[in-house]
Amino acid sequence: MAETLTLTATDKAGRYEEILPQIASVTADETDRTANLANTAAILKEAFDFFWVGFYEVKSTDGGEAQLVLGPFQGPLACTRIRRGRGVCGTAWAERRTLVVPDVDLFPGHIACSSLSRSEIVVPIFAPDSDEVVAVIDIDSREPATFDDTDRRHLERLAVLLSARW
Ligand code: SME
């Protein structure tokens, strides 16, 4: 496994093109999901210096209700549990689709883990060959309107890659 990232592209799309094969390579021979999600979060953080980047995994609770539970991440302390339909993450899970939020203050029910977060993208990861959401990729920015269709497209490709490792 390569221990260092190759980062030469200066534009966003180019940088995603650069890191996706490296994430594929780093996670190819590792069967442990936590290890793979942890390295993926580290690579995204290093490539883009996102304010917060990480994963919430769908897990069943003692009460029987499934919730999103905090997984590997890079960035400040975060909320540990999110209910289905709550916040940006819980809404992306319930609606099974990517949500790009240019201004978190305008998203009804946004969960402010950090008051410094201004914009956000949440991308669902589906179980292989299924429409069941098993986790979400969550990325936060300190700036408004950080995320666009380029992020959505590439992060959805990342979600497919990670789904194959589930
Ligand atoms: N803002 C998210 C909660 C997770 S933190 O951003 C890490 C939401 O509204 O679901």
Side-chain angles (χ1 to χ4, degrees), residues 96-107:
R96 296 189 175 83
R97 65 185 180 101
T98 298
L99 292 179
V100 176
V101 181
D103 181 345
V104 295
D105 291 338
L106 299 180
F107 188 94

Side-chain angles (χ1 to χ4, degrees), residues 45-56:
K45 175 76 174 174
E46 191 173 336
F48 296 104
D49 198 24
F50 290 132
F51 174 58
W52 195 95
V53 49
F55 298 89
Y56 281 89

Side-chain angles (χ1 to χ4, degrees), residues 26-109:
V26 158
T27 57
D29 297 327
E30 177 54 65
T31 55
D32 188 88
R33 186 183 307 144
T34 302
N36 284 335
L37 296 183
N39 265 338
T40 301
I43 290 170
L44 287 167
K45 175 76 174 174
E46 191 173 336
F48 296 104
D49 198 24
F50 290 132
F51 174 58
W52 195 95
V53 49
F55 298 89
Y56 281 89
E57 294 183 61
V58 175
K59 295 192 174 174
S60 51
T61 62
D62 290 344
E65 180 204 28
Q67 293 182 347
L68 288 172
V69 181
L70 183 63
F73 71 96
Q74 297 265 322
L77 181 71
C79 333
T80 56
R81 288 174 185 268
I82 299 173
R83 295 176 70 178
R84 194 163 185 277
R86 298 294 173 86
V88 185
C89 292
T91 304
W93 172 24
E95 297 184 359
R96 296 189 175 83
R97 65 185 180 101
T98 298
L99 292 179
V100 176
V101 181
D103 181 345
V104 295
D105 291 338
L106 299 180
F107 188 94

Side-chain angles (χ1 to χ4, degrees), residues 3 6 8 16 18 23 26 48 56 62 69 75 77 79 85 88 117 128 138 145 148 151 155 157 163:
E3 301 293 340
T6 304
T8 54
Y16 277 115
E18 217 165 39
I23 292 173
V26 158
F48 296 104
Y56 281 89
D62 290 344
V69 181
L77 181 71
C79 333
V88 185
S117 173
D138 180 17
D148 58 20
D151 300 279
L155 292 169
R157 283 176 57 205
S163 166

